[in-house]
């Protein structure tokens, strides 16, 4: 089975899992896992499935296993790009960038065009998160150029449109954001891509919330909530429910907002999504203020402050660990360079000694021949005297 065919099967399994048919996955994964040659692909699939379920640690573990087992350039590129996406989601942007660079270094042939486009699109999202919007748009434009040149028509088209929509929702103009959102939604509906439809609905809900056109905002938020509830995509569901709760508070519907926020709080805390806690608790504080519940307001004010502090500590620890890892990596490189230099020096000495030995051997050989020659002459001379 070719890498292209395996990739199509893998993408189809992932697509069905993430976008509406999780019940069909277990049997297919079990079939694939029985074939030793496909075990690396199995880890790629499971990595994507775990990412879709917001189990990022497990996703990284599967993708690392995929990279260790991979004997295919095609698969290695996909695994590095997918690992970079997970690391982008967890805000480990430096490590994500390293993986994207490794993917691009391997994506130089025409046969890897679609993989290169997907890596460029992922880099667009990375730089959007880093608030470097000009570079983000450049990468997305590069991805679009490859897509157009190769007539690629799949999920990457929607990714590019969604990411451009997200960028223009942050920096404007609004017309560009609406153009890309509607185009992405239309394409997602054509491809029956539920997840992408929900992403576009969430973007449009956010826009109409601030337009303000609250009826349209409610419509789009509810569409996104319905899809992500059905597909059990909880990490995205948390974001859109927080967005809708914010709109409900603006609309003085505090009890409804409270129900939505506490539902989000329950599964977010269960999953350990600490990065959501500050915003979540802040919204709950607004709810209790609107309800005139001072006791619970003060309680969640304290939780909010603690959540901001905890997030700061965790993010700082991550940064320190990344810096320490880089320092250790640099030390290792210096050690390897030193060892390489020492090896080269020893090799030079060995070459010199080898040359000397060869010269000595040659001289010794010549001397032996000369001694033998003169010995023969001397022997003959003595024979003549005896005679």
């Amino acid at each position: 089975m070719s890498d292209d065919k395996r990739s199509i099967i893998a993408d189809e399994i992932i697509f069905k899992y993430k976008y509406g048919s999780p019940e069909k996955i277990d049997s297919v994964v079990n079939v694939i896992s029985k074939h030793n040659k496909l075990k690396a692909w199995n880890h790629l699939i499971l990595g994507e499935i775990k990412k879709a379920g917001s189990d990022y640690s497990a996703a990284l573990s599967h993708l690392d296993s995929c990279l260790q087992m991979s004997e295919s350039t095609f698969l290695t590129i996909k695994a590095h790009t997918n690992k970079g996406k997970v690391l982008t989601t967890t805000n480990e942007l430096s490590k994500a960038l390293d993986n994207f660079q490794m993917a691009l270094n391997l994506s130089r042939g025409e046969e890897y065009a679609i993989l290169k486009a997907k890596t460029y699109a992922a880099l667009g999202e990375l730089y959007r998160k880093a608030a470097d919007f000009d570079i983000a748009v450049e990468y997305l434009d590069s991805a679009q150029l490859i897509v157009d040149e190769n007539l690629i028509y799949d999920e990457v088209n929607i990714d590019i449109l969604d990411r451009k929509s997200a960028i223009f929702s942050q920096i404007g103009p609004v017309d560009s954001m609406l153009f890309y959102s509607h185009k992405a939604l239309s394409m997602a509906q054509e491809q029956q891509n539920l997840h992408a439809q929900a992403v576009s609905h969430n973007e449009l809900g956010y826009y109409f919330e601030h337009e303000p056109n609250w009826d349209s905002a409610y419509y789009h938020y509810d569409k996104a909530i319905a899809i992500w509830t059905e597909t059990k995509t909880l990490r995205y569901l948390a974001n859109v429910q927080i967005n809708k709760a914010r709109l409900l508070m603006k609309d003085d519907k505090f009890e409804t907002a409270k129900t939505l926020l506490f539902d989000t709080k329950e599964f977010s805390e269960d999953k350990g999504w600490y990065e959501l806690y500050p915003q979540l608790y802040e919204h709950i504080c607004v709810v209790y203020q609107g309800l005139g519940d001072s006791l619970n307001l003060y309680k969640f004010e304290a939780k909010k402050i603690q959540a901001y502090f905890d997030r700061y500590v965790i993010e700082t620890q991550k940064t320190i660990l990344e810096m320490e890892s880089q320092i250790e990596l640099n030390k290792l490189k210096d050690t390897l360079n030193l060892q390489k230099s020492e090896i080269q020096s020893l090799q030079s000495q060995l070459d010199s000694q080898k040359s000397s030995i060869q010269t000595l051997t040659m001289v010794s050989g010549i001397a032996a021949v000369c001694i033998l020659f003169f010995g023969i002459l001397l022997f003959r001379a003595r024979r003549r005297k005896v005679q």
Side-chain angles (χ1 to χ4, degrees):
M1 188 186 293
S2 69
D3 281 336
D4 282 338
K5 196 165 184 180
R6 288 173 183 163
S7 180
I8 291 167
I9 292 171
D11 287 344
E12 184 177 353
I13 293 169
I14 293 163
F15 183 90
K16 285 179 178 177
Y17 180 87
K18 292 199 298 187
Y19 311 136
S21 305
E23 70 282 352
K24 298 179 182 179
I25 298 307
D26 291 339
S27 60
V28 182
V29 170
N30 286 336
V31 170
I32 290 177
S33 65
K34 291 177 182 177
H35 299 275
N36 288 332
K37 290 184 179 179
L38 297 182
K39 280 188 176 177
W41 285 92
N42 188 39
H43 281 298
L44 179 83
I45 294 166
L46 289 171
E48 273 292 276
I49 289 172
K50 293 298 182 181
K51 177 180 180 288
S54 305
D55 190 347
Y56 303 124
S57 177
L60 290 172
S61 177
H62 280 296
L63 291 169
D64 284 336
S65 295
C66 175
L67 287 167
Q68 289 169 9
M69 299 171 68
S70 174
E71 297 178 356
S72 154
T73 300
F74 194 97
L75 177 57
T76 301
I77 295 168
K78 285 181 75 74
H80 275 305
T81 298
N82 288 359
K83 186 177 177 182
K85 289 180 180 179
V86 176
L87 291 165
T88 300
T89 303
T90 58
N91 291 315
E92 297 173 83
L93 302 187
S94 177
K95 290 181 182 178
L97 189 59
D98 288 341
N99 277 274
F100 291 142
Q101 191 57 59
M102 284 185 269
L104 289 177
N105 289 342
L106 295 169
S107 307
R108 293 187 175 165
E110 288 185 8
E111 66 270 33
Y112 304 128
I114 187 170
L115 300 183
K116 192 171 188 178
K118 289 181 177 181
T119 305
Y120 278 150
L123 277 162
E125 175 62 11
L126 182 148
Y127 281 102
R128 183 193 73 81
K129 289 195 80 172
D132 201 335
F133 299 114
D134 289 339
I135 295 179
V137 171
E138 284 178 17
Y139 274 116
L140 292 170
D141 286 342
S142 296
Q144 189 66 60
L145 184 63
I146 294 172
V147 166
D148 293 342
E149 286 177 350
N150 292 273
L151 302 176
I152 298 167
Y153 187 76
D154 75 354
E155 190 180 352
V156 68
N157 292 270
I158 304 170
D159 284 345
I160 293 166
L161 295 170
D162 277 334
R163 282 158 185 162
K164 282 191 172 181
S165 171
I167 288 169
F168 289 114
S169 73
Q170 291 177 266
I171 64 173
V174 171
D175 288 347
S176 295
M177 177 265 172
L178 284 173
F179 170 79
Y180 288 116
S181 282
H182 282 298
K183 192 172 180 180
L185 179 57
S186 175
M187 190 174 291
Q189 288 169 338
E190 287 176 23
Q191 295 184 20
Q192 297 183 328
N193 186 327
L194 292 176
H195 176 75
Q197 289 177 45
V199 169
S200 295
H201 280 303
N202 189 33
E203 287 286 341
L204 288 166
Y206 185 86
Y207 165 73
F208 285 116
E209 177 189 343
H210 295 85
E211 167 69 0
N213 181 341
W214 288 354
D215 286 342
S216 293
Y218 279 126
Y219 169 80
H220 286 291
Y221 282 149
D222 286 339
K223 282 283 189 182
I225 287 171
I227 290 170
W228 282 326
T229 299
E230 179 188 347
T231 59
K232 299 180 174 62
T233 314
L234 297 182
R235 184 63 178 78
Y236 286 91
L237 180 62
N239 284 333
V240 70
Q241 288 194 164
I242 289 171
N243 286 344
K244 185 182 176 184
R246 184 183 57 243
L247 177 59
L248 287 165
M249 291 185 292
K250 290 177 182 178
D251 204 11
D252 292 332
K253 297 177 179 178
F254 294 108
E255 283 293 349
T256 309
K258 178 184 171 184
T259 301
L260 201 57
L261 288 169
F262 272 88
D263 176 62
T264 309
K265 174 180 175 292
E266 182 177 351
F267 65 76
S268 295
E269 289 180 343
D270 183 57
K271 294 288 186 180
W273 295 331
Y274 70 88
E275 69 276 11
L276 291 180
Y277 298 169
Q279 184 184 24
L280 191 55
Y281 298 156
E282 191 163 342
H283 283 2
I284 292 173
C285 287
V286 175
V287 163
Y288 281 126
Q289 187 173 19
L291 293 173
D293 187 340
S294 300
L295 182 62
N296 279 309
L297 170 61
Y298 294 141
K299 175 183 171 183
F300 275 92
E301 281 285 355
K303 288 176 74 73
K304 178 187 76 174
I305 293 168
Q306 185 65 47
Y308 274 111
F309 177 76
D310 290 344
R311 187 173 70 178
Y312 171 78
V313 169
I314 292 170
E315 296 295 341
T316 303
Q317 286 174 341
K318 275 188 181 179
T319 303
I320 291 169
L321 286 173
E322 282 196 31
M323 291 172 65
E324 287 177 347
S325 297
Q326 190 60 50
I327 290 168
E328 289 301 316
L329 182 61
N330 290 336
K331 283 181 181 178
L332 180 59
K333 285 179 179 178
D334 290 341
T335 302
L336 291 173
N337 288 333
L338 180 61
Q339 289 174 349
K340 185 178 178 183
S341 176
E342 289 173 351
I343 290 168
Q344 288 173 341
S345 176
L346 286 171
Q347 187 64 51
S348 178
Q349 291 176 30
L350 287 171
D351 290 342
S352 177
Q353 289 174 5
K354 186 179 179 182
S355 177
S356 299
I357 291 168
Q358 288 173 340
T359 302
L360 182 60
T361 302
M362 186 174 64
V363 170
S364 299
I366 293 170
V369 170
C370 290
I371 290 168
L372 180 62
F373 177 72
F374 285 115
I376 292 170
L377 289 178
L378 183 60
F379 174 73
R380 286 179 178 175
R382 284 179 178 174
R383 277 184 69 184
R384 287 194 192 106
K385 285 182 183 180
V386 171
Q387 291 174 355

